[in-house]
């Protein structure tokens, strides 16, 4: 397929997935539209497809109000929180030790400072869950406050570019919570000990989601799994996180239309990288128990096509032969260079199960992981995408996979 046609395809896919479907977060109608669009498209290129379905919840945010006497504070509903209408004494904690000592039953709890520096991992999240996070969640669960108010700063690495970020984002955690900026938190501090009232309107909606898996070739010589997550954070069009990754899967499926070799190619649209429960990833892992050993390589595409800077391939545990082939491919494409290793993302599923992996991303994004303010926000829209880079990566991966067929 000529390059010009691939440009046209990417721009159409970008329109469909980012503009016509405004919300692709797991459990939403848009998410289901996106997965069924992806399945139909890839099936039309002659691939076998499988939809792996799971239960998921969507969330409706109706806003929140916090006040004490005549003072009103600006607060936001924590994603997937339950709603509430409560009034009680405000108590506060800025450190874990302080929280452990505090009587919080029936009170409204204010978390600020050190304890609120990093987004807490959801209580059932298995990939990465520091002991301190588990301890905080357990203290909150046992302490049973009526509601929690969190004042948070900037933490791009874990919360994307969102400020303030929700300290709690967990559909399995049932104490209602809201969050506010650090500045607003400083205004609230003098009210500790006084009575405050919080009304938060928030709804969990039961729904479904699915991974889409497409396969081509025969599994006689192992398989290569090429993955990109199709879900986006609520409120973000998710253009580079991760529509461009999904576009690469579609272009690649089209370029590999004639592929018929003894190494199976498995294309996976993961559903849940930006979802508190990572449901699609959990399901994929359970379906692949005992089968990771036949995966010769994982390629994860996430955050590609940002308009500034080059594209990067980052290598994780690659055998020499594969590494040499990847380098040969990079030499043929000027816009692609080697990137640094980093732990966050779907590739960790494969790396933790002993498979080599290549992560494809944008250099600018990786270099600015801690400070960027784009991903998970409305700024991650079609305007920041350079689809020439998207097409270049699809072409490079096509070449690479065809080189891999005999390894
Ligand atoms: Zn992502």
């Amino acid at each position: 397929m000529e390059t010009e046609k691939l440009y046209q395809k990417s721009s159409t896919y970008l329109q469909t997935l980012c503009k016509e479907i405004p919300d692709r977060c797991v459990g939403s109608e848009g998410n289901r539209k996106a997965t069924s669009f992806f399945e139909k498209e890839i099936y039309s290129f002659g691939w076998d497809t499988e939809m792996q379905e799971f239960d998921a919840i969507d969330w409706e945010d109706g806003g929140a109000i916090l006040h004490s006497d005549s003072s009103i504070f600006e607060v936001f509903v924590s994603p997937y929180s339950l709603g509430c209408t409560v009034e009680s004494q405000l108590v506060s904690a800025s450190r874990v030790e302080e929280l452990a000592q505090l009587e919080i039953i029936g009170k409204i709890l204010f978390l600020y400072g050190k304890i609120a520096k990093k987004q807490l991992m959801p209580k059932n999240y298995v990939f990465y869950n520091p002991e301190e996070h588990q301890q905080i969640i357990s203290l909150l669960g046992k302490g049973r406050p009526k509601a929690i108010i969190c004042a948070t700063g900037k933490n791009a690495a874990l919360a994307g570019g969102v400020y303030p970020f929700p300290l709690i984002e967990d559909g399995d955690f049932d104490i209602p919570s809201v969050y506010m900026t650090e500045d607003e938190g400083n205004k609230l501090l003098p009210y500790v000990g006084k009575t405050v009232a919080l009304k938060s309107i928030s709804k969990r909606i039961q729904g479904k989601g699915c991974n889409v898996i497409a396969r081509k070739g025969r599994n006689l010589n192992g398989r290569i799994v090429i993955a990109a997550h199709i879900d986006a954070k609520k409120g973000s069009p998710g253009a580079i996180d991760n529509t461009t990754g999904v576009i690469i899967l579609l272009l690649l499926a089209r370029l590999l239309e004639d592929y018929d070799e003894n190494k199976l190619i498995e294309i996976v649209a993961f559903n849940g990288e930006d979802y508190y429960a990572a449901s699609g990833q959990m399901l994929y892992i359970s379906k692949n128990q005992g089968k990771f050993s036949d995966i010769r390589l994982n390629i994860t595409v996430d955050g590609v096509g940002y308009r500034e800077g080059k594209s990067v391939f980052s290598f994780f545990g690659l055998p020499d032969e594969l590494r040499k082939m990847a380098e040969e491919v990079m030499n043929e494409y000027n816009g692609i260079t080697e990137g640094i290793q980093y732990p966050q993302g779907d590739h960790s599923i494969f790396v933790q199960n002993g498979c080599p992996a290549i992560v494809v991303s944008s250099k600018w994004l990786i270099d600015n992981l801690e400070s960027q303010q784009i991903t998970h926000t409305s700024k991650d829209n079609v305007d920041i995408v350079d689809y020439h880079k998207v097409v270049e990566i699809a072409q490079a991966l096509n070449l690479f996979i065809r080189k891999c067929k005999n390894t």
Side-chain angles (χ1 to χ4, degrees), residues 218-225 262-264 266 284 288-298 350 353-356 407:
R218 293 165 295 274
N219 195 359
L220 297 173
N221 191 14
R223 58 185 157 134
I224 296 180
V225 180
N262 286 335
K263 183 169 268 113
L264 186 78
E266 188 174 273
Y284 183 86
N288 277 278
Q289 274 318 306
K291 296 184 205 158
F292 276 97
S293 58
D294 76 348
I295 299 175
R296 299 280 181 270
L297 176 68
N298 161 247
F350 300 92
N353 280 285
C355 312
T407 58

Side-chain angles (χ1 to χ4, degrees), residues 46-321:
W47 291 65
D48 291 330
T49 56
E50 181 198 350
M51 308 281 262
Q52 293 180 340
E53 200 182 58
F54 52 81
D55 292 323
I57 55 170
D58 192 12
W59 163 67
E60 229 173 65
D61 177 3
I65 303 167
L66 174 68
H67 69 92
S68 180
D69 301 330
S70 57
S71 303
I72 293 175
F73 305 91
E74 189 182 30
V75 289
F76 310 97
V77 183
S78 305
Y80 306 100
S81 171
L82 294 174
C84 65
T85 304
V86 292
E87 190 170 333
S88 188
Q89 190 192 20
L90 186 69
V91 293
S92 69
S94 64
R95 288 173 299 113
V96 184
E97 306 77 47
E98 210 179 332
L99 177 63
Q101 300 300 321
L102 205 61
E103 183 69 36
I104 56 177
I105 186 163
K107 308 276 173 66
I108 294 179
L109 173 65
F110 177 41
L111 299 176
Y112 69 102
K114 190 164 178 283
I115 201 169
K117 278 278 174 270
K118 281 186 178 161
Q119 187 170 51
L120 297 171
M121 297 315 290
K123 61 183 202 180
N124 296 326
Y125 194 79
V126 294
F127 300 112
Y128 164 79
N129 212 327
E131 211 164 298
E132 188 176 275
H133 292 202
Q134 298 177 43
Q135 193 192 353
I136 295 169
I137 293 294
S138 147
L139 286 170
L140 295 174
K142 285 189 199 126
R144 288 186 289 133
K146 277 187 174 165
I148 303 167
I149 302 159
C150 318
T152 61
K154 293 194 171 86
N155 186 265
L158 279 175
V162 180
Y163 172 70
F165 64 87
L167 186 68
I168 299 166
E169 180 169 341
D170 188 353
D172 297 323
F173 183 78
D174 289 340
I175 301 166
S177 74
V178 295
Y179 63 105
M180 56 172 31
T181 63
E182 276 173 338
D183 288 345
E184 201 70 4
N186 289 334
K187 288 187 214 154
L188 181 64
L189 263 182
Y191 291 82
V192 171
K194 297 185 179 159
T195 298
V196 296
L198 174 68
K199 184 178 168 79
S200 160
I201 302 165
S202 177
K203 207 165 112 192
R204 291 177 184 167
I205 305 154
Q206 297 298 326
K208 296 274 182 196
C210 65
N211 292 327
V212 186
I213 316 236
R215 298 183 180 93
K216 214 171 202 348
R218 293 165 295 274
N219 195 359
L220 297 173
N221 191 14
R223 58 185 157 134
I224 296 180
V225 180
I226 307 155
H229 71 85
I230 194 164
D231 62 307
K233 247 324 173 221
K234 198 170 232 6
S236 172
I240 57 167
D241 186 17
N242 188 27
T243 305
T244 48
V246 174
I247 295 173
I248 284 174
L249 297 187
L250 290 171
L251 297 182
L252 196 54
R254 175 72 176 74
L255 290 167
L256 289 167
E257 212 167 16
D258 64 337
Y259 180 91
D260 183 26
E261 305 289 342
N262 286 335
K263 183 169 268 113
L264 186 78
I265 307 297
E266 188 174 273
I267 288 182
V268 181
F270 271 127
N271 208 346
E273 210 262 343
D274 281 323
Y275 183 57
Y276 75 91
S279 309
Q281 284 77 351
M282 296 295 283
L283 181 60
Y284 183 86
I285 292 170
S286 75
K287 291 212 179 251
N288 277 278
Q289 274 318 306
K291 296 184 205 158
F292 276 97
S293 58
D294 76 348
I295 299 175
R296 299 280 181 270
L297 176 68
N298 161 247
I299 300 173
T300 293
V301 191
D302 199 353
V304 296
Y306 183 62
R307 62 182 173 198
E308 259 180 65
K310 290 197 172 196
S311 306
V312 284
F313 282 9
S314 298
F315 303 117
F316 297 81
L318 234 56
D320 290 345
E321 195 186 2

